[in-house]
Structures are given as structure tokens and as C-alpha cells.
Amino acid sequence: MGAVFDSDALFELEPAAADNLSFTDLARQPLAELVAPDWAGALAPVEAQLRQALDYVAGDAAGHEVLPSPSNVLRAFRQPLAGVRVLIVGQDPYPTPGHAVGLSFAVDGATRPIPRSLGNIYKELEADLGFPPRVHGDLGRWAEQGVLLLNRVLSVRAGAAGSHRGKGWEDVTAAAIRAVAERPADGGSGRAPLVAILWGKDAESVRPLLGSAAVIASAHPSPLSAARGFFGSHPFSRANALLQDQGNGTIDWELPPLP
């Protein structure tokens, strides 16, 4: 049985603040109010780059639609750093309005149809562990169990994939990945358990940041590449086996039928 994480431990923005937040507000808020407390410490060395990225997003949002919503841009860091067990690295948010929710590969639970890459992830999940594909793309259940769904770039202009690359986000997420990989184990001997799942060349580029962490790498689940090594890669069962080897339980990868 996998380890159980208390979802109440997740750091959340106050609902009223989330409802009224603009990108300009986001850029001005103290780091400790935007992310979980242990993430605030880990990201402090790259706060200047984070502010650079947030300022760029606020400026771009003055004339264009920017995704995801302000309250979701830093959503991946509301999951406590100490609880991360699996890292899944994405590229940048889905550029289709209504899709991006701040977690790599996930979409809003009401989005229909789900993106094709996520559909392929579900196909592999069924082939690997027998769990039926879901009609929704809410991956919050994975995040609650310590799966960090982290894009390398955390924002995008609607309709323009990759439009916010090179604006500072890469430095921030590189620091985040190092922080996950370098956490000391309980007792201070060695590193904390971690499995990194890297799909595609962009994700594999972070491998040098991971040190001695266990890595599962394959082709990207995109329809353009899934047949070239993603299908049949069994990432979910392999991740659980590696977690068990590290004494860190397993992830229950089955998602609820509806979000």
C-alpha cells in the first residue's frame, strides 16, 4: 500500500486572494505568500529570476491572454517540498485557453476532450497497471501523494506554445529540481528518496540536476513520439518498484472516475 499524505498539509492561497489575484499582484507578493514554506526557502536563491519571470508575465498579460491563471502559475510549489516522492517534468503549459492548471500534463477537470498527450499517458497507465483511462485530466490525486508535476516553464501566451521560454523560469525550475534531488534523508545520511520520470528530450535535459536520483526516461507521450518508446515503458510500475526499493511506499496511480 502506498504512503498516505494528508491533503490538509498542502499550502493553499486563501480562496478570496486566489479569486482576485492578478499577474501584477502575483509579481508583488512576498515569496512566502506564494509557495509552501519549505519551497520559499529552497527558491530564495533564485528569487530575482522568479521576480523577473513574474514581471515579464505581468507585462505580457497587459496585452495578451496568459495561461494558467495567476493563482495557478506557482501551483506546483504549493505541494510541500518535503513530501515530494516522484518528479514528472513537463515543458511549458498547454497554450489552449482553459487547459493549463499549473501542473504538468494536467488540465482542468471539466476540460473535454483531454489533450492527446494526456490520453496517451492514460493508455500507458492502463497497459502498465490496468487502470482504465479517465475522461478528465485532473491529476490532483497524484500531487496529493507527493508527485511533483513540474513544467520547466510555468507560463505561456495563449495560442503560442513556448512563448515564455527564456524569461527566467528555467533558472527557477532548475533550482527547484536541484532542491528536490538534494534533500537530505531523514537522519541526515544520504539523500531523500526520489524517482524522476523524464519524458522526451526536453525533460531528459534536466538529468544532470538530479545527481544520484533514480531516473525513468523514455520518449514523450505526444502523438508524434509515443510509439517510439513511450508505449511499453511501464513508468508507473517501475516508479513504484523504485520507491519500494528506497523504502518510500508506492503511489496509487489510479485516478477517480470524476474529479
Side-chain angles (χ1 to χ4, degrees), residues 72-85:
N72 279 332
V73 167
L74 298 174
R75 181 180 174 185
F77 301 130
R78 299 207 300 266
Q79 170 191 333
L81 170 60
V84 175
R85 298 192 287 159

Side-chain angles (χ1 to χ4, degrees), residues 48-66:
Q49 293 92 323
L50 174 61
R51 296 296 175 190
Q52 173 189 333
L54 290 175
D55 286 341
Y56 176 82
V57 170
D60 200 34
H64 305 277
E65 182 177 5
V66 171

Side-chain angles (χ1 to χ4, degrees), residues 9-205:
L10 299 182
F11 175 87
E12 294 292 348
L13 295 171
E14 291 294 330
D19 290 344
N20 298 320
L21 196 67
S22 71
F23 287 110
T24 300
D25 295 332
L26 193 72
R28 294 173 179 170
Q29 286 194 344
L31 185 58
E33 295 181 13
L34 295 173
V35 299
D38 54 357
W39 272 119
L43 296 178
V46 291
E47 184 171 0
Q49 293 92 323
L50 174 61
R51 296 296 175 190
Q52 173 189 333
L54 290 175
D55 286 341
Y56 176 82
V57 170
D60 200 34
H64 305 277
E65 182 177 5
V66 171
L67 308 172
S69 65
S71 61
N72 279 332
V73 167
L74 298 174
R75 181 180 174 185
F77 301 130
R78 299 207 300 266
Q79 170 191 333
L81 170 60
V84 175
R85 298 192 287 159
V86 174
L87 168 67
I88 299 180
V89 179
Q91 297 176 8
D92 57 345
Y94 296 116
T96 303
H99 282 200
V101 293
L103 302 177
S104 61
F105 297 102
V107 293
D108 184 88
T111 297
R112 304 288 188 278
I114 62 172
R116 289 181 293 172
S117 291
L118 183 55
N120 285 338
I121 291 171
Y122 286 172
K123 288 178 183 178
E124 181 60 20
L125 179 60
E126 182 176 31
D128 188 3
L129 294 176
F131 298 143
R134 299 308 188 194
V135 297
H136 69 85
D138 184 347
L139 304 182
R141 175 60 184 146
W142 292 358
E144 290 170 4
Q145 297 178 77
V147 179
L148 177 58
L149 298 159
L150 182 66
N151 281 317
R152 286 304 315 279
V153 174
L154 301 184
S155 62
V156 69
R157 184 184 297 178
S163 51
H164 286 185
R165 294 188 180 189
K167 308 303 181 184
W169 286 129
E170 291 89 347
D171 290 336
V172 174
T173 54
I177 292 167
R178 286 193 196 96
V180 171
E182 293 175 0
R183 294 168 302 162
D186 291 341
S189 177
R191 301 298 185 192
L194 176 68
V195 176
I197 299 177
L198 308 179
W199 290 327
K201 291 182 179 179
D202 276 5
E204 285 197 55
S205 70

